[in-house]
Amino acid sequence: MNVRKLALIAVLTVAQTASSLPAFAESAASAPASTAAKTAAADAASSPSPSATAASLTGTESPAPTVSPEASPTTEQPGATPEPSASALPSASPQPSGAPLPTGAPAVQIPASTAGSGQLVLMMNSNKMYMNGVLYLAGQPMAVKNGVSNVAIRAMVERVGLKLTYNGATKETIIIKDGNELRFKTNSKIYTVNGKATLMKGPAYQYKNTFMVPLTSITQALGIPYTVDYVQKRVILTLQTKPKASFTVQPSEIFAGETTVNYVTSSQAFNGATIVEERWEGRQDVFAQPGYYTVSYSVRDSNGQWSDPYPVTINVLKPNQPPVAQFTTNKDEYKMGEPITITNISSDPDGDALTESWSNRALAFFNPGPVPIQLTVTDTHGHSSTFEKVINITNEVLYSQEDFNKLFVPLGDIYTINGSVVPTWNKVTYTVSSDPITLIRSNSPETVNSEGIVYQETAMGSSRIMVHHKNQMSTNMKMYVIATNDNIYPATITTQQSGFGGPLDIPTATGKKSIETYLQSMSMGGVYDNVTLQPGESKPVLTAINNVTMKPGQVISLMSDVFSDYPVKYSIIMIDATKDPLQTLPTLNYLDRDGVHNRGTYPDANRIITVTDPVGQAPSRLVLGDNNTDLNLKGMDALSGTEASNSGNFGVVYKITLTRVAPNTLITLNPRGGKYQGPLLVNGNIIEAPNAGAVDAPNQNSVLYRTSNLEQTVEIVFTPASGSNLPINLLFMPLPPQKTE
């Protein structure tokens, strides 16, 4: 062979070597890499195509793998077979540090098996892989398919210390890592982690009964960093080898000399190892002195590797000090019926919040003699303190109990009256009108025993949707208000004010909460919510109702005012909490009424009451919801096509204006049909009726308002709270004169 021919061969060899970048270098920039790897990745931009590159590494054309969808990965070569030949690989002679190689000497080749602890070496275009100096053989070589490097997944995953299973029904390969489930499917570019899909650079496939996946995808899925060694034609994966240790301490507050600390440990070993030893530094079960203490925890695995120490700084507090209960009264001696002012001046040395419990506390006393008043306060750690003071009540009378209650019982609180005389009081005279708002009331069947449509109606313009139902089924349920646009034009629904209560197992409490939030929405105003429905489209609206799950026995209550520019069909449904409402709606049946409670569609659901005559100079009353003085709204049950009467006028908003309320007038709410529990809006302020519990008929009153020394206008917004009883009376009575002490 002549010199010219030898030179030509040398040039071709250099050119071939320069072009031999691996096909998976397209993702090297996204993984940790050495400087040499980064340089090679940059050179790859001008290198031949991936397929050609891969072929140049072996000197042969890469065979196109044949996909065999019917083949099961379970027949893949089990794991990778370790070969003892790794120990026979020649090792490079060490060179003196910094010594140059002799002129013309060949570069020293690092053995392919040489790698750091916890590193897995995959050879390019080969089925060889090295771990801890041991050679393993994968079922198939690393192969290039459509420019993407693929590896045999089973051999690689087993080296990482994970287990692989195969689902023949779905043709999915399943890997469990750190409690997460990864699924790869034959001939799919998608893999999932706990159901969340991620796109791969190429599809997974099977070749000669070996399941192959893109290298960069499996390293990304398993969170394994890697580098590319272009000289040795290998990929080096850095595995997690050191175990991990962590711990928490309980309880959250630790007091010096008092608290026994509970250390809750958590540790993890990798690559099939187990935790065999643990080590603590600074641990104490009880810390004697307050201050900051650092405790660290380490574990050793069965491979002899220690984890990094896991430190936690513990703030040890001074021993908790009990609170100090204390209160004062503005006097030590009082007349009967004289207001008592009590000021709680309790304190806690640690600044803890205190709960208070009173014994024998009253606004006034109406029997003479010594009266002990007791206060107990408790801090957040359960330590408590009690203080008692004795005051004296003389034989003198400042106010009778009846007069005292009228003058001093706080707004929203209850006091007792002789309810039998109330029907003898004059009824106030008023004018009544209405606003054109349509009430859609869904309250029957109140107790729902099966899935279905509890009510359905089509309305346009101003509408009020009122819902009150109980889940009587044995499973968790949800309720929805689904709006459907059956028009040929888009329809917009605007929510103007809305209130919601529940889910709770107390019907009166849910009704009270829904009216309270409705009145808050009304008084505060705010941004309206708009929903646009395209022709034929359905959407859940008033989503507060479907954001909660109703457990068996629980009740929800909703009241919302909406406006639509075109007719909209509202379907109110109760379905299993796991079901999709839009898919389930067409399958539901209409539920029958229960024969006791009310449903229907009612026009003119805002009732405007104006009282122009003076009130308060003598006892009088305004009766609401009795179907006599205040008639029930009349409407239709849209599902049965029968006439409906809105008993109690639930869902009706009464807007009451008293233009001339006398000076020193007391206004109260007195139930007449049973217990009542719900708020009112009085001159723009929400007043609970009552603040706690319920007002009982007929001998209890809840205080709503007192006028000053001047005549004034009083505006009251009232709407009956679901779960409560109607009718109610608003009572107006003169206050007794104030006395000096």
Side-chain angles (χ1 to χ4, degrees):
M1 186 178 295
N2 57 37
V3 173
R4 183 176 180 180
K5 190 171 183 179
L6 287 172
L8 179 59
I9 292 172
V11 169
L12 291 173
T13 302
V14 171
Q16 185 178 27
T17 302
S19 67
S20 60
L21 291 175
F24 46 77
E26 79 279 345
S27 64
S30 65
S34 64
T35 304
K38 292 178 180 177
T39 304
D43 293 341
S46 59
S47 65
S49 69
S51 299
T53 303
S56 70
L57 290 174
T58 59
T60 60
E61 190 74 12
S62 295
T66 303
V67 177
S68 177
E70 301 303 321
S72 167
T74 56
T75 62
E76 180 184 333
Q77 179 177 337
T81 305
E83 293 288 339
S85 59
S87 60
L89 290 173
S91 60
S93 301
Q95 295 294 321
S97 176
L101 290 174
T103 304
V108 176
Q109 296 292 314
I110 302 172
S113 62
T114 301
S117 175
Q119 290 184 328
L120 175 64
V121 178
L122 309 180
M123 302 306 298
M124 300 175 186
N125 299 318
S126 170
N127 67 338
K128 294 181 179 180
M129 54 177 64
Y130 296 92
M131 189 169 180
N132 298 327
V134 178
L135 172 64
Y136 294 84
L137 299 179
Q140 288 296 322
M142 185 187 301
V144 176
K145 185 178 181 183
N146 298 324
V148 177
S149 293
N150 297 271
V151 293
I153 189 172
R154 179 182 293 276
M156 179 176 164
V157 165
E158 289 180 349
R159 298 282 67 73
V160 175
L162 303 176
K163 290 187 178 181
L164 178 147
T165 59
Y166 180 73
N167 186 324
T170 62
K171 298 183 179 179
E172 290 178 312
T173 296
I174 304 169
I175 303 169
I176 304 297
K177 180 180 185 293
D178 299 334
N180 297 311
E181 183 183 73
L182 289 72
R183 288 178 174 255
F184 296 81
K185 191 168 186 177
T186 304
N187 299 328
S188 173
K189 280 189 174 184
I190 301 295
Y191 76 87
T192 63
V193 180
N194 298 330
K196 183 178 180 181
T198 300
L199 180 67
M200 301 190 293
K201 293 193 174 182
Y205 65 92
Q206 293 197 50
Y207 179 63
K208 294 184 178 178
N209 294 331
T210 299
F211 192 61
M212 308 287 287
V213 295
L215 171 64
T216 56
S217 297
I218 188 63
T219 54
Q220 176 187 4
L222 299 179
I224 302 174
Y226 66 90
T227 58
V228 181
D229 179 357
Y230 293 91
V231 176
Q232 293 292 314
K233 301 181 180 64
R234 60 184 187 163
V235 180
I236 303 172
L237 283 66
T238 301
L239 309 180
Q240 172 65 262
T241 57
K242 288 200 301 186
K244 288 184 177 180
S246 66
F247 72 97
T248 59
V249 294
Q250 296 174 348
S252 58
E253 290 186 326
I254 297 172
F255 296 95
E258 294 182 356
T259 307
T260 299
V261 183
N262 182 26
Y263 296 86
V264 181
T265 62
S266 175
S267 58
Q268 184 179 11
F270 301 93
N271 303 326
T274 57
I275 301 299
V276 296
E277 185 180 353
E278 62 180 14
R279 181 167 61 203
W280 290 93
E281 293 183 9
R283 171 172 171 162
Q284 298 181 49
D285 292 335
V286 177
F287 292 88
Q289 299 298 326
Y292 290 92
Y293 295 83
T294 299
V295 179
S296 65
Y297 175 61
S298 307
V299 295
R300 183 174 67 86
D301 67 15
S302 53
N303 292 328
Q305 292 198 82
W306 281 97
S307 69
D308 293 329
Y310 184 86
V312 171
T313 298
I314 301 173
N315 181 17
V316 179
L317 306 172
K318 293 180 181 179
N320 182 61
Q321 300 297 313
V324 177
Q326 185 75 39
F327 68 87
T328 62
T329 57
N330 60 322
K331 297 170 64 174
D332 293 329
E333 189 172 83
Y334 298 86
K335 300 174 183 178
M336 287 186 287
E338 182 177 348
I340 300 171
T341 301
I342 296 178
T343 304
N344 184 356
I345 57 173
S346 301
S347 62
D348 185 85
D350 305 308
D352 293 341
L354 300 176
T355 57
E356 56 187 70
S357 175
W358 292 88
S359 175
N360 207 31
R361 179 178 181 175
L363 297 173
F365 292 95
F366 299 92
N367 294 300
V371 176
I373 304 172
Q374 192 175 83
L375 167 64
T376 299
V377 294
T378 306
D379 67 14
T380 54
H381 306 286
H383 292 180
S384 62
S385 170
T386 299
F387 175 78
E388 181 178 280
K389 180 177 180 179
V390 178
I391 60 174
N392 187 52
I393 309 300
T394 70
N395 291 319
E396 296 180 80
V397 176
L398 184 63
Y399 292 106
S400 68
Q401 189 162 3
E402 181 181 359
D403 287 350
F404 180 91
N405 290 337
K406 292 178 180 179
L407 285 167
F408 298 109
V409 168
L411 298 182
D413 278 4
I414 299 171
Y415 73 89
T416 302
I417 64 170
N418 180 6
S420 63
V421 302
V422 171
T424 67
W425 293 5
N426 291 331
K427 296 179 182 178
V428 299
T429 303
Y430 58 83
T431 60
V432 63
S433 60
S434 61
D435 286 340
I437 184 170
T438 300
L439 170 63
I440 300 170
R441 181 181 175 189
S442 178
N443 186 214
S444 185
E446 182 173 277
T447 299
V448 183
N449 296 293
S450 64
E451 290 185 318
I453 301 172
V454 290
Y455 197 57
Q456 188 178 77
E457 180 60 282
T458 299
M460 176 180 174
S462 295
S463 303
R464 176 173 299 134
I465 298 174
M466 187 175 192
V467 179
H468 186 78
H469 291 283
K470 177 180 180 180
N471 173 21
Q472 194 62 16
M473 285 162 275
S474 60
T475 58
N476 291 344
M477 307 296 285
K478 280 192 172 185
M479 293 203 72
Y480 297 85
V481 178
I482 299 178
T484 302
N485 179 16
D486 290 328
N487 306 287
I488 62 174
Y489 305 105
T492 299
I493 302 171
T494 301
T495 303
Q496 297 169 325
Q497 50 251 341
S498 185
F500 179 75
L504 293 170
D505 55 3
I506 306 172
T508 54
T510 61
K512 176 182 178 181
K513 186 63 177 180
S514 68
I515 299 306
E516 179 180 315
T517 51
Y518 175 85
L519 294 178
Q520 287 173 346
S521 176
M522 175 186 289
S523 61
M524 295 174 62
V527 179
Y528 291 163
D529 179 44
N530 292 317
V531 175
T532 298
L533 300 173
Q534 298 303 318
E537 185 179 15
S538 295
K539 284 183 182 178
V541 294
L542 307 176
T543 52
I545 195 172
N546 59 268
N547 283 337
V548 300
T549 298
M550 302 171 65
K551 296 178 181 179
Q554 289 188 328
V555 180
I556 59 93
S557 194
L558 170 81
M559 189 159 118
S560 299
D561 290 354
V562 299
F563 180 89
S564 63
D565 53 359
Y566 283 95
V568 172
K569 180 170 67 179
Y570 298 100
S571 301
I572 303 165
I573 65 173
M574 184 183 287
I575 60 173
D576 188 277
T578 62
K579 293 185 178 180
D580 181 275
L582 296 181
Q583 293 180 1
T584 307
L585 176 60
T587 69
L588 297 176
N589 296 321
Y590 296 111
L591 301 184
D592 292 332
R593 293 178 295 183
D594 58 21
V596 176
H597 300 91
N598 187 271
R599 74 181 182 196
T601 305
Y602 305 95
D604 303 325
N606 280 349
R607 191 159 284 184
I608 314 300
I609 292 176
T610 304
V611 180
T612 57
D613 293 339
V615 297
Q617 295 173 336
S620 60
R621 60 193 176 115
L622 175 61
V623 181
L624 301 176
D626 67 338
N627 198 28
N628 185 4
T629 305
D630 178 42
L631 297 176
N632 292 349
L633 278 179
K634 300 297 183 182
M636 294 288 293
D637 181 339
L639 298 186
S640 66
T642 58
E643 185 177 289
S645 176
N646 187 10
S647 178
N649 277 342
F650 290 90
V652 174
V653 173
Y654 293 86
K655 298 180 179 180
I656 304 165
T657 302
L658 306 157
T659 60
R660 298 184 61 194
V661 182
N664 302 312
T665 295
L666 172 66
I667 304 176
T668 65
L669 182 145
N670 173 232
R672 305 304 299 182
K675 292 184 181 295
Y676 189 85
Q677 184 178 358
L680 299 85
L681 199 61
V682 183
N683 280 359
N685 297 312
I686 293 179
I687 305 297
E688 301 290 349
N691 289 324
V695 200
D696 202 0
N699 297 319
Q700 287 187 341
N701 250 350
S702 181
V703 178
L704 300 180
Y705 194 75
R706 292 182 180 94
T707 61
S708 63
N709 294 327
L710 299 174
E711 182 179 280
Q712 65 183 104
T713 296
V714 176
E715 295 179 344
I716 299 175
V717 177
F718 168 76
T719 183
S722 293
S724 288
N725 297 281
L726 274 290
I728 61 108
N729 283 186
L730 296 182
L731 303 184
F732 310 94
M733 63 196 85
L735 289 169
Q738 294 262 9
K739 298 179 181 179
T740 59
E741 300 172 9

